[in-house]
Amino acid sequence: MEILYTSLLGFFLLLVIYLFYNHKSSENANLPPGKTGFPVIGETLEFLYTGWKGHSEKFISDRIAKYSSNVFKTSLFGSLFVVFCGVNGHRFLFSNENKLVRVWFPRSIHKIFLQSTEAFSTEEAINGRKLIQNLIKPVGLQSHIGLMDTFSHWYFVTYWENKDMVLVFPLAKHYTFLLACRLLMSVEDPNLISLLEEPFGVLFKGTFSVPIDLPGTPLNRAMKAASFIQKELLVIVKQRKTDLAKGMASPTQDILSHMLSTSDDNGNFMDEADIANKIFGLLVGSHDNITSVCTSIVKYLAELPEVYQGVYQEQLGIAKSKALGELLNWEDMQKMKYSWNVACEVMRLEPPSPGSFREALTDFAYNGFSIPKGCKIYWHPQSTHSNHEYFPEPQKFDPSRFEGSGPPPYAYVPFGGGPRMCPGKEFARLEILVFMHHLVKRFRWEKLIPGEKTVYTPLANPEKGLPIRLFPHEA
């Protein structure tokens, strides 16, 4: 044990020395203005702390005010970072994906998901992304609306009705996970869902943890949870492949069957392990982000009765237009214009993710400054979402911002933009709208903790889970 601690101490000292000199050498480069803080930790603690305290935008806005509204430097997670701000910064990053920059993740995330940044720019990964985009285009998703409607009815009857009080965040989390399992893999067995859902709770606690893989650390627990999930998903994939071969499953019944039955442009099929990884990624992407949005919608509708009333009247009109037992359809989704504007304004004020990371593939210049190859880059949606130039009175809740042509391009970016626009945007829109439909036609509600904060750990969630008191509408 003493040898282990001595080795760890030696490694840590070497890391400090390396990062110290790397930190010093960067001071002389033609980098954007800003400070990098202390060696190793840089400004990481302040970056994380502002998110934990419910003010993730403060880290960005303070530095925009002090250094530059376009680009500034900092140091996070042991690396030099340049933060791109504003519409021009978003446009530059999104339009230069896999040209000048590529997706980058902190070391802890690599360890959990067992992928390297190189994988995101390979032809195989690009082909896999194209396949997923094709599977969740609006035309393909239309057939899922009825299933979402049926599922949501069951969910609210089971978990919300006949309750005086509910805790919104965990219930919304369960909702999105159950629905994702059903739509992606046709999994409905409660035992199997429970087996998969529990390790997901462990997974996200380690995503932005200290990258130390020792027994008992958040990272170590998250890595074990990820490994367990991937093994279970591989079992599901193998069984589905067998069922398809025997004619016991349909090639079009869900996204898993589509992946197993669809080849790329060269006639090649994805292997089972790759499909399991893609399903894993889709479960992550269709789970926590939508949970965050649905929870924030409940929060704002409780705080803004006039906005709630607008959503309620729109959804009630759609409900009354349906015959007994008739399910929601694509045309109904298009009628939910005010409801979607409300959801968009919620995501403007509280984007589910506090931003994303990139890495410079080569040396390039931006705004008169040098961005060296290997430099890490960060963009934050609030650099435009809270900017009065693009959104007058940015702290005011105003769904009308999204009427007509809406905000300028690259000003509103909860789903990213350009080539890196989230392929699941339409999936998310449908799921959020169906959730809103079933929620408001059943209840009005009030918050039990009026001043409850939204914190980022790492995604937006209410500090106490958002407890609310329910008041069912009279039949």
Side-chain angles (χ1 to χ4, degrees), residues 224 279 380:
K224 289 180 178 178
I279 293 291
H380 191 292

Side-chain angles (χ1 to χ4, degrees), residues 14-27 38-40:
L14 287 172
L15 180 64
V16 170
I17 293 170
Y18 167 76
L19 290 173
F20 176 76
Y21 282 105
N22 189 52
H23 166 86
K24 292 298 288 183
S25 65
S26 70
E27 296 297 323
F38 294 103
V40 184

Side-chain angles (χ1 to χ4, degrees), residues 300 340-350 391 393-402 412:
Y300 278 101
W340 183 241
N341 287 346
V342 168
C344 289
E345 182 69 343
V346 167
M347 287 186 280
R348 182 187 71 83
L349 288 165
E350 286 187 358
F391 300 100
E393 297 183 83
Q395 299 310 312
K396 180 182 178 182
F397 192 98
D398 182 6
S400 69
R401 302 179 197 275
F402 297 91
Y412 178 68

Side-chain angles (χ1 to χ4, degrees), residues 361-413:
L361 287 169
T362 185
D363 295 344
F364 63 86
Y366 179 76
N367 208 48
F369 299 104
S370 299
I371 310 299
K373 178 181 179 180
C375 178
K376 307 305 182 284
I377 297 166
Y378 180 66
W379 67 269
H380 191 292
Q382 291 293 29
S383 74
T384 54
H385 287 195
S386 297
N387 191 319
H388 64 85
E389 180 181 349
Y390 313 118
F391 300 100
E393 297 183 83
Q395 299 310 312
K396 180 182 178 182
F397 192 98
D398 182 6
S400 69
R401 302 179 197 275
F402 297 91
E403 294 175 358
S405 58
Y410 298 100
Y412 178 68
V413 288

Side-chain angles (χ1 to χ4, degrees), residues 106-113 202-203 205-226:
R107 187 178 170 194
S108 56
I109 294 181
H110 284 308
K111 283 182 169 290
I112 293 168
F113 293 98
V202 177
L203 189 73
K205 292 179 181 178
T207 51
F208 283 90
S209 62
V210 178
I212 297 177
D213 178 17
L214 291 175
T217 62
L219 176 60
N220 183 264
R221 291 196 296 269
M223 289 171 62
K224 289 180 178 178

Side-chain angles (χ1 to χ4, degrees), residues 401-438:
R401 302 179 197 275
F402 297 91
E403 294 175 358
S405 58
Y410 298 100
Y412 178 68
V413 288
F415 297 100
R420 287 300 300 186
M421 175 73 76
C422 174
K425 176 183 176 181
E426 190 60 30
F427 176 94
R429 186 179 81 91
L430 297 179
E431 186 172 344
I432 290 165
L433 287 174
V434 173
F435 177 89
M436 293 175 73
H437 176 79
H438 281 272

Side-chain angles (χ1 to χ4, degrees), residues 1-13 212 214-215:
M1 185 61 71
E2 185 177 345
I3 295 175
L4 174 63
Y5 283 129
T6 302
S7 301
L8 286 174
L9 179 60
F11 172 77
F12 178 75
L13 290 173
I212 297 177
L214 291 175

Side-chain angles (χ1 to χ4, degrees), residues 209-460:
S209 62
V210 178
I212 297 177
D213 178 17
L214 291 175
T217 62
L219 176 60
N220 183 264
R221 291 196 296 269
M223 289 171 62
K224 289 180 178 178
S227 177
F228 176 83
I229 293 168
Q230 287 171 317
K231 287 177 182 176
E232 291 299 321
L233 291 177
L234 186 57
V235 171
I236 294 171
V237 171
K238 289 179 179 293
Q239 183 60 53
R240 176 63 61 83
K241 188 173 185 179
T242 299
D243 291 345
L244 286 168
K246 293 180 178 180
M248 298 170 61
S250 165
T252 59
Q253 75 181 57
D254 54 32
I255 289 179
L256 172 55
S257 279
H258 274 289
M259 285 184 174
L260 284 163
S261 307
T262 307
S263 63
D264 63 19
D265 296 338
N266 299 318
N268 299 317
F269 291 85
M270 284 192 289
D271 62 38
E272 296 166 358
D274 192 28
I275 290 174
N277 284 333
K278 292 290 190 299
I279 293 291
F280 188 15
L282 287 171
L283 280 171
V284 171
S286 61
H287 180 210
D288 277 79
N289 281 288
I290 298 178
T291 296
S292 175
V293 176
C294 288
T295 304
S296 293
I297 287 170
V298 175
K299 167 194 160 181
Y300 278 101
L301 291 184
E303 294 173 348
L304 302 165
E306 70 283 0
V307 176
Y308 169 87
Q309 192 63 24
V311 173
Y312 174 65
Q313 291 299 328
E314 181 175 79
Q315 296 299 339
L316 187 63
I318 292 170
K320 288 182 175 180
S321 72
K322 311 299 288 184
L324 183 64
E326 184 183 359
L327 297 175
L328 293 171
N329 56 39
W330 181 254
E331 288 70 30
D332 296 321
M333 297 295 107
Q334 308 321 303
K335 295 175 184 176
M336 300 181 186
K337 290 183 171 61
Y338 181 74
S339 297
W340 183 241
N341 287 346
V342 168
C344 289
E345 182 69 343
V346 167
M347 287 186 280
R348 182 187 71 83
L349 288 165
E350 286 187 358
S353 172
S356 188
F357 303 102
R358 298 290 188 270
E359 180 181 46
L361 287 169
T362 185
D363 295 344
F364 63 86
Y366 179 76
N367 208 48
F369 299 104
S370 299
I371 310 299
K373 178 181 179 180
C375 178
K376 307 305 182 284
I377 297 166
Y378 180 66
W379 67 269
H380 191 292
Q382 291 293 29
S383 74
T384 54
H385 287 195
S386 297
N387 191 319
H388 64 85
E389 180 181 349
Y390 313 118
F391 300 100
E393 297 183 83
Q395 299 310 312
K396 180 182 178 182
F397 192 98
D398 182 6
S400 69
R401 302 179 197 275
F402 297 91
E403 294 175 358
S405 58
Y410 298 100
Y412 178 68
V413 288
F415 297 100
R420 287 300 300 186
M421 175 73 76
C422 174
K425 176 183 176 181
E426 190 60 30
F427 176 94
R429 186 179 81 91
L430 297 179
E431 186 172 344
I432 290 165
L433 287 174
V434 173
F435 177 89
M436 293 175 73
H437 176 79
H438 281 272
L439 175 67
V440 300
K441 77 175 187 179
R442 283 176 166 82
F443 310 104
R444 61 182 180 86
W445 57 92
E446 65 180 15
K447 293 169 59 178
L448 295 180
I449 306 176
E452 185 177 8
K453 292 186 300 186
T454 295
V455 298
Y456 284 82
T457 58
L459 301 180

